Amino acid sequence: MPNADESPLATYIAHLKRGELGYQFSPSTNQVVFYPRLIAPKTGARELEWRVSKGLGTVHATTVVHPRQGDPYNVCLVDIDEGFRLMSRVEDIPPAAVKIGMRVKFRVHALEGDEDPYPVFTPVEGAR
Amino acid sequence: MSVTRGSVAIVGAAESDLDAVAAGMSPIDLMAQGVDRALRDAGLGLRNVDALFCATTQARTSALSLAEYLGLPDAYTDSTIVGGSSFEVHVAHAHAALEAGLCSVAVVAYGSTQRTVGRRAASAREFNPYETPFRPFLPASAYALAASRHMHEYGTTREQMAEVAVAARAWALLNPAAWEKQPLTIADVLNARPISDPFTVRDCCLVTDGGGAIVLARADLAEHLRHAPVYVLGSGQSITHASISSMPSLTRTGAVESGAWACQAAGGEAVGDRRAGAV
């Protein structure tokens, strides 16, 4: 068998470079899959299709890391509306102001040099 | 098919040097030291050993290293590493290997020089593209995320969580080998340097050097050794996740499953009835 053209991670990064939060879906079982993989967990299904999230979610858990050097920063887990969870951070507000249940929306973290883009979140205006 | 309740027993146990060990000690030195002391505790010697179970974050192929150090090229080995519960998994695997007759005297060993070499050097994390860019301070941040969820779902308070560290310290004060010698209060915990909210450095495990080993044998040999055998009744295992962002529920750990299976394997009824020790 020839090698796979592109790794799941590379496809995910390609979506991010287009400003998209990509995730996988297994049609045979209606199963959302994240983090991206080559086969679906539990079923082993190979037919995983890529979809683009609307980028909306809810903070599921949150912490503020206090590094020895530098300012404290937020790390959180976000439940995306389409049915998967990922680690990220909420920006534009103080790290301790991030609360469980907060509605957030995705944007791509700006690239610095060779660093791969990654998703970050900001509070949804007007949400409860 | 399953292992037989009580077919094997723990027959010896010992700690290696602890806290801040002599310069140049390796984790494998500490494993060997623990093995030596545990075998003496059992009334056995290295010549009796034919199985090695070991794990340490500081050595990816610890079974190779320990077999080399102890001079046991034909040993049955298992260096399953799943974090802190690796050694309970080793006991479960030793139970099966002993009962199957694949070995007769098994040692389970651990060693760490994390205080001496520094926490970061001892437990370097693998790069995870879906977590590492966010710089969680692992494992503390993983537990902190779970704590935030627990507080949200159950109203658990900082003070209640600090009581865990306070209780652990109170127990430690009864042990002359313990590193810390002073009592700890809830205020001490809350006012200590923050690590990853809600946790401060005093909520987190101490970073000390140490190690140890236990010895297991089938029941027929165990009955003839130095101590009353500590029979292994049953084990259970459950893996929920490797990365915290993949943990299905932050407030329901795999211990719910593994505890129930261990009790069931041990012949238990409801979990609440158990008087046997569990790890």
Side-chain angles (χ1 to χ4, degrees):
Chain A
M1 271 191 100
N3 283 359
D5 287 330
E6 192 172 70
S7 66
L9 175 61
T11 306
Y12 178 69
I13 300 291
H15 277 289
L16 286 170
K17 286 182 174 172
R18 293 195 292 276
E20 297 169 345
L21 178 62
Y23 67 100
Q24 290 171 314
F25 182 78
S26 175
S28 56
T29 53
N30 266 356
Q31 181 192 5
V32 174
V33 175
F34 195 86
Y35 49 84
R37 294 160 158 89
L38 291 170
I39 59 174
K42 296 207 193 305
T43 64
R46 287 180 175 180
E47 299 74 30
L48 288 169
E49 61 182 53
W50 280 89
R51 294 184 172 182
V52 174
S53 164
K54 290 189 172 64
L56 292 172
T58 308
V59 173
H60 183 75
T62 183
T63 184
V64 178
V65 176
H66 296 259
R68 287 252 192 212
Q69 271 142 24
D71 295 330
Y73 55 89
N74 176 257
V75 176
C76 62
L77 300 179
V78 179
D79 281 343
I80 300 296
D81 289 354
E82 285 87 357
F84 63 96
R85 179 176 299 160
L86 77 171
M87 179 176 284
S88 186
R89 63 170 175 263
V90 177
E91 298 187 338
D92 297 353
I93 59 175
V98 180
K99 298 292 176 224
I100 291 175
M102 182 176 264
R103 290 289 288 164
V104 291
K105 66 180 188 294
F106 149 84
R107 72 172 178 220
V108 179
H109 170 71
L111 286 159
E112 283 155 25
D114 287 334
E115 196 186 308
D116 281 331
Y118 54 80
V120 295
F121 291 82
T122 58
V124 171
E125 294 305 318
R128 184 188 66 79
Chain B
M1 295 285 294
S2 62
V3 291
T4 305
R5 177 184 187 278
S7 65
V8 309
I10 299 171
V11 297
E15 290 171 325
S16 67
D17 289 351
L18 304 175
D19 302 330
V21 300
M25 283 285 203
S26 75
I28 311 299
D29 277 319
L30 296 178
M31 285 186 182
Q33 188 181 53
V35 166
D36 173 52
R37 292 173 178 176
L39 288 169
R40 288 167 192 273
D41 182 55
L44 291 168
L46 189 57
R47 291 179 191 283
N48 302 122
V49 176
D50 58 2
L52 302 175
F53 297 78
C54 52
T56 177
T57 58
Q58 293 172 264
R60 279 177 305 151
T61 51
S62 59
L64 289 184
S65 302
L66 189 59
E68 173 188 82
Y69 192 112
L70 296 177
L72 299 176
D74 302 326
Y76 180 95
T77 61
D78 181 334
S79 51
T80 298
I81 183 161
V82 288
S85 56
S86 301
F87 313 96
E88 285 75 15
V89 173
H90 292 170
V91 167
H93 291 184
H95 191 169
L98 286 162
E99 187 169 323
L102 301 175
C103 57
S104 294
V105 176
V107 295
V108 176
Y110 171 66
S112 169
T113 56
Q114 56 186 338
R115 182 172 193 92
T116 297
V117 305
R119 198 198 61 86
R120 181 154 297 195
S123 298
R125 312 300 296 205
E126 291 164 28
F127 178 77
N128 178 339
Y130 307 100
E131 292 202 350
T132 309
F134 304 103
R135 297 176 293 141
F137 184 70
L138 295 173
S141 290
Y143 289 104
L145 288 165
S148 78
R149 192 71 207 174
H150 206 275
M151 295 166 91
H152 176 78
E153 290 185 17
Y154 299 105
T156 316
T157 66
R158 273 299 288 121
E159 289 75 11
Q160 288 170 326
M161 293 190 182
E163 289 191 40
V164 175
V166 169
R169 179 68 66 86
W171 284 111
L173 296 183
L174 302 176
N175 183 347
W179 175 256
E180 294 282 359
K181 306 294 188 193
Q182 300 302 319
L184 188 68
T185 67
I186 292 179
D188 289 336
V189 178
L190 266 52
N191 296 329
R193 178 170 64 87
I195 299 290
S196 188
D197 294 348
F199 294 136
T200 71
V201 64
R202 292 278 163 257
D203 289 290
C204 301
C205 286
L206 297 183
V207 177
T208 54
D209 296 336
I214 61 173
V215 186
L216 296 105
R218 282 185 293 277
D220 54 355
L221 174 58
E223 276 138 31
H224 294 101
L225 297 176
R226 185 162 291 161
H227 301 295
V230 175
Y231 293 102
V232 180
L233 300 183
S235 310
Q237 176 180 315
S238 179
I239 296 177
T240 49
H241 65 285
S243 43
I244 192 64
S245 52
S246 288
M247 188 176 190
S249 164
L250 295 183
T251 55
R252 187 181 191 283
T253 74
V256 174
E257 265 72 44
S258 60
W261 292 336
C263 280
Q264 189 177 36
E269 304 82 26
V271 170
D273 293 343
R274 278 294 99 192
R275 285 176 172 75
V279 183

